[in-house]
Amino acid sequence: MAGPAREELLALAAIFCGPDEWEVLSLSETDGTVCRILTKAEGLMDVDVPLELVFHLPVNYPSCLPGISVNSEHLTRAQCVAVKEKLLEQAENLLSEPMVHELVLWVQQNLRHILNQPEAGSGSGKCTFAASTTVDDGLWMTLLHLDHMRAKSKYIKTVEKWASDLRLMGRLMFMGKIILILLQGDRNNIKEYLILQKTCKVDVDSSGKKCKEKMISVLFETKVQTEHKRFLAFEVKEYSSLDELQKEFETTGLKKLFSEFVLGLVK
């Protein structure tokens, strides 16, 4: 990451210094930095709307656009997507200079105007995602491992909704204590799913309080090959034995994936 970007992270940490306002979710020399900012902006009817803004800053940022995710319990999914698209449009005007703080200030000042526009919508949480701003590089697949689910029913419904909203196919698989999520779809939508998975309160802790998923790992990611089965839906499946789970992987052309990554999870 370039020097100005590193300086920006330090500045952001100083600016958003309130409880839970700022968090660096991941830091990688190859994948860049993912950070989260919690803020508020004036919405419709002069009511403050809490916003969770997640920025993925690639290694060559600010020479390229950041990835942006917008979430709020007070907005529909369609409205969140509309805000995200407007932020990306604004980011294009700030290319080559650190822009995260400018984007936060901009959304604080303009949220009400965005929500007033017809395309933002105000109905159900269903929405159609806009076309990706990056080049389509085909169908991708990723395999995720979850350590546990305490609020299983609610957790499953949330995962199913995210997969539906992001047009992702695949499986949520349970076998004993093993929990796997296999996703197929547009690579940017898979990245969006991962941001949701890591930043939203999707489960409960040992005391019953809502909490974020901190024990998820990406086991494998690849472009879908010709020998891989294309899933037509996202399904939740329970397996009674390791052999049954293995057959699922074998019938989808993922025998090697099972041997290399899943077998090691069996204790």
Side-chain angles (χ1 to χ4, degrees), residues 4 53 131 143 145 153 161 167 185 196 200:
L53 306 173
L143 180 65
H145 174 239
S153 178
K161 182 181 185 304
R167 301 195 303 275
L196 290 170
C200 294

Side-chain angles (χ1 to χ4, degrees), residues 167-221:
R167 301 195 303 275
L168 298 174
M169 309 302 170
R171 299 281 187 270
L172 171 54
M173 300 176 279
F174 296 90
M175 199 291 294
K177 293 185 177 181
I178 296 175
I179 307 171
L180 300 169
I181 302 176
L182 183 62
L183 298 172
Q184 280 185 357
D186 179 85
R187 193 178 191 187
N188 290 301
N189 287 357
I190 290 177
K191 288 180 179 179
E192 179 89 10
Y193 176 92
L194 287 171
I195 290 173
L196 290 170
Q197 182 80 65
K198 292 178 180 178
T199 59
C200 294
K201 291 182 177 180
V202 68
D203 204 2
V204 296
D205 60 20
S206 56
S207 62
K209 293 181 181 178
K210 291 182 179 180
C211 66
K212 295 167 190 168
E213 180 57 72
K214 295 182 179 179
M215 301 186 74
I216 184 173
S217 55
V218 179
L219 299 180
F220 184 75
E221 183 183 37

Side-chain angles (χ1 to χ4, degrees), residues 168-171 184 229-235:
L168 298 174
M169 309 302 170
R171 299 281 187 270
Q184 280 185 357
K229 174 184 175 181
R230 267 66 169 173
F231 293 107
L232 301 177
F234 185 84
E235 300 178 44

Side-chain angles (χ1 to χ4, degrees), residues 106-198:
W106 186 87
V107 78
Q108 289 174 337
Q109 297 164 4
N110 291 277
L111 178 66
R112 183 176 181 177
H113 303 301
I114 298 171
L115 298 180
N116 263 325
Q117 295 176 10
E119 60 266 28
S122 57
S124 71
K126 303 275 185 181
C127 66
T128 301
F129 273 69
S132 171
T133 55
T134 60
V135 176
D136 179 16
D137 56 355
L139 199 64
W140 278 73
M141 174 173 61
T142 191
L143 180 65
L144 311 174
H145 174 239
L146 297 177
D147 184 75
H148 61 271
M149 284 185 185
R150 285 194 173 96
K152 186 175 178 180
S153 178
K154 180 176 179 289
Y155 204 132
I156 289 173
K157 287 181 181 179
T158 302
V159 170
E160 288 179 316
K161 182 181 185 304
W162 289 341
S164 174
D165 286 348
L166 292 164
R167 301 195 303 275
L168 298 174
M169 309 302 170
R171 299 281 187 270
L172 171 54
M173 300 176 279
F174 296 90
M175 199 291 294
K177 293 185 177 181
I178 296 175
I179 307 171
L180 300 169
I181 302 176
L182 183 62
L183 298 172
Q184 280 185 357
D186 179 85
R187 193 178 191 187
N188 290 301
N189 287 357
I190 290 177
K191 288 180 179 179
E192 179 89 10
Y193 176 92
L194 287 171
I195 290 173
L196 290 170
Q197 182 80 65
K198 292 178 180 178

Side-chain angles (χ1 to χ4, degrees), residues 11-192:
L12 290 169
I15 294 168
F16 300 101
C17 56
D20 297 325
E21 275 189 335
W22 163 260
E23 183 180 3
V24 175
L25 301 175
S26 66
L27 188 62
S28 166
E29 293 182 1
T30 56
D31 297 329
T33 302
V34 179
C35 58
R36 188 199 67 210
I37 293 172
L38 298 182
T39 188
K40 291 182 179 179
E42 184 181 302
L44 302 175
M45 307 297 292
D46 298 324
V47 175
D48 280 347
V49 175
L51 296 173
E52 179 182 65
L53 306 173
V54 178
F55 296 90
H56 176 209
L57 311 179
V59 289
N60 51 349
Y61 168 86
S63 298
C64 67
L65 293 177
I68 301 174
S69 175
V70 179
N71 292 290
S72 174
E73 293 183 355
H74 294 245
L75 302 178
T76 67
R77 191 71 192 142
Q79 289 173 324
C80 287
V81 172
V83 175
K84 169 187 168 180
E85 294 302 321
K86 293 298 182 182
L87 279 170
L88 286 171
E89 289 177 13
Q90 185 67 17
E92 291 179 358
N93 300 324
L94 302 170
L95 204 57
S96 81
E97 59 185 79
M99 65 182 78
V100 172
H101 188 222
E102 289 293 326
L103 292 175
V104 174
L105 291 176
W106 186 87
V107 78
Q108 289 174 337
Q109 297 164 4
N110 291 277
L111 178 66
R112 183 176 181 177
H113 303 301
I114 298 171
L115 298 180
N116 263 325
Q117 295 176 10
E119 60 266 28
S122 57
S124 71
K126 303 275 185 181
C127 66
T128 301
F129 273 69
S132 171
T133 55
T134 60
V135 176
D136 179 16
D137 56 355
L139 199 64
W140 278 73
M141 174 173 61
T142 191
L143 180 65
L144 311 174
H145 174 239
L146 297 177
D147 184 75
H148 61 271
M149 284 185 185
R150 285 194 173 96
K152 186 175 178 180
S153 178
K154 180 176 179 289
Y155 204 132
I156 289 173
K157 287 181 181 179
T158 302
V159 170
E160 288 179 316
K161 182 181 185 304
W162 289 341
S164 174
D165 286 348
L166 292 164
R167 301 195 303 275
L168 298 174
M169 309 302 170
R171 299 281 187 270
L172 171 54
M173 300 176 279
F174 296 90
M175 199 291 294
K177 293 185 177 181
I178 296 175
I179 307 171
L180 300 169
I181 302 176
L182 183 62
L183 298 172
Q184 280 185 357
D186 179 85
R187 193 178 191 187
N188 290 301
N189 287 357
I190 290 177
K191 288 180 179 179
E192 179 89 10

